[in-house]
């Protein structure tokens, strides 16, 4: 299982915030934001900080994606 943070990036766009502003507002490092950008795992504490800063629930910033779904999405992108 992998995490997808597409919802987080969309929420930032909707709220006219950039990743640097998110890092400052949530009190997390740029390294952590980069990990999120790459879809890597972060601690629950980090996700709570982000949710608190954005006044939202965890389901509004991330999804759990299975390997099957991830591979299927990649094939769709490649095949056009």
């Amino acid at each position: 299982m992998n995490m997808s943070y597409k919802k987080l990036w969309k929420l930032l766009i909707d709220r006219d915030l950039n990743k640097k502003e998110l890092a400052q507002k949530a009190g997390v490092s740029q390294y952590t934001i980069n990990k999120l950008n790459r879809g890597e795992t972060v601690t629950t504490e980090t996700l709570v900080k982000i949710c608190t800063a954005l006044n939202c629930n965890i389901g509004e910033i991330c999804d759990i994606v299975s390997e099957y779904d991830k591979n299927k999405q990649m094939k769709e992108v490649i095949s056009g």
Side-chain angles (χ1 to χ4, degrees):
M1 296 286 181
N2 293 307
M3 295 295 287
S4 169
Y5 300 102
K6 289 179 183 180
K7 288 180 177 181
L8 173 59
W9 310 133
K10 183 180 181 316
L11 186 61
L12 290 182
I13 291 168
D14 292 345
R15 295 191 182 184
D16 198 28
L17 292 170
N18 62 41
K19 293 173 185 175
K20 184 176 181 179
E21 292 168 328
L22 172 64
Q24 292 171 343
K25 190 171 184 172
V28 299
S29 68
Q30 190 61 45
Y31 175 75
T32 299
I33 298 297
N34 291 339
K35 284 182 72 169
L36 291 167
N37 198 45
R38 293 188 301 267
E40 296 177 7
T41 58
V42 295
T43 65
T44 305
E45 180 181 352
T46 297
L47 296 176
V48 169
K49 286 179 180 182
I50 291 170
C51 288
T52 301
L54 296 176
N55 192 30
C56 66
N57 292 312
I58 197 163
E60 295 177 73
I61 64 168
C62 63
D63 283 317
I64 297 173
V65 181
S66 71
E67 280 297 317
Y68 172 79
D69 290 337
K70 187 177 176 183
N71 291 336
K72 183 179 173 187
Q73 289 173 356
M74 290 299 289
K75 287 179 184 175
E76 290 173 358
V77 169
I78 292 170
S79 65

